[in-house]
Amino acid sequence: MFAKGVTPSETQYDGSNLRILILHTRWNLPVVKALVDGAQRTLISEFNVKAEKIILKDVAGSYELPFAAQEYIKHSIPKFDAVICIGVLIKGSTMHFEYIAEATAHGIMRVGMETGTPCVFGVLTCLNDEQALERAGLGESPAKHNHGIDWARCAVELGVKKRQGWSS
Ligand code: RBF
């Protein structure tokens, strides 16, 4: 067994000036809530992001995440330094899972590339409920880990690097 998720950077990023959007789904909300909570707590406790600069918005399902992220980025004043898109897809017996997962992953990537605002892919794509619970830090498994923590680390790192103009 090894520590799951992203190891914190050796650089201690200061998130105290960052404005971050957490955009989450209402599909599979109990699991999504745990992931949002993990991300939010990490932003505040590990990076000093101010609570009032964490904006929470929701959409119905994961498929809506890219479009809504793009619109919030476009219309928000002041701008967001990073967006964390959070959803939970659980495989059913039809092809829906595959189509939604593919579209959502590509869509979130595209929004980041086209807007220049880092968009973190915080979407779990699970084969069953147990996998989803484990990856949200819930359930019984000793290997459980809340990936919201990792997504917060990604968002702060990218947001700070963006503010620095990606200069080395
Ligand atoms: N959205 C999710 O975020 N997670 C899911 O597991 C999920 N499963 C779906 C399964 C089916 C059969 C359908 C029709 C939709 C599902 N959605 C899910 C909703 C989807 O992301 C989107 O909200 C709707 O397709 C409307 O655009």
Side-chain angles (χ1 to χ4, degrees):
M1 193 76 75
F2 59 93
K4 293 279 168 60
V6 66
T7 302
S9 169
E10 283 173 14
T11 308
Q12 178 52 54
Y13 292 107
D14 172 20
S16 58
N17 283 324
L18 297 184
R19 187 163 184 269
I20 294 183
L21 170 64
I22 299 181
L23 176 63
H24 70 84
T25 65
R26 297 187 310 276
W27 265 77
N28 301 319
L29 191 58
V31 183
V32 166
K33 264 192 180 152
L35 293 162
V36 170
D37 191 52
Q40 214 172 355
R41 277 188 291 109
T42 305
L43 290 174
I44 294 168
S45 65
E46 203 170 303
F47 299 103
N48 242 344
V49 178
K50 297 193 179 78
E52 65 271 20
K53 289 192 168 184
I54 303 172
I55 314 302
L56 289 176
K57 297 284 180 193
D58 59 85
V59 289
S62 294
Y63 190 83
E64 282 69 57
L65 288 171
F67 179 72
Q70 173 186 269
E71 295 306 303
Y72 282 124
I73 289 168
K74 229 193 298 186
H75 297 288
S76 171
I77 302 168
K79 287 184 183 313
F80 294 115
D81 295 289
V83 178
I84 308 175
C85 296
I86 297 182
V88 174
L89 284 160
I90 299 176
K91 192 171 166 62
S93 51
T94 68
M95 288 296 291
H96 249 81
F97 174 83
E98 282 79 0
Y99 286 112
I100 297 173
E102 175 103 12
T104 304
H106 282 134
I108 291 172
M109 166 71 79
R110 221 181 78 195
V111 172
M113 304 287 253
E114 289 180 1
T115 63
T117 299
C119 288
V120 174
F121 181 63
V123 180
L124 298 181
T125 57
C126 301
L127 301 180
N128 53 51
D129 293 2
E130 290 67 38
Q131 287 186 348
L133 291 168
E134 190 173 307
R135 284 155 185 76
L138 303 169
E140 302 305 316
S141 166
K144 69 184 178 186
H145 170 72
N146 187 328
H147 282 283
I149 296 167
D150 306 316
W151 302 333
R153 289 175 183 162
C154 289
V156 169
E157 178 178 351
L158 291 172
V160 169
K161 285 178 174 172
K162 178 173 152 60
R163 284 243 174 164
Q164 292 168 345
W166 294 98
S167 55
S168 50

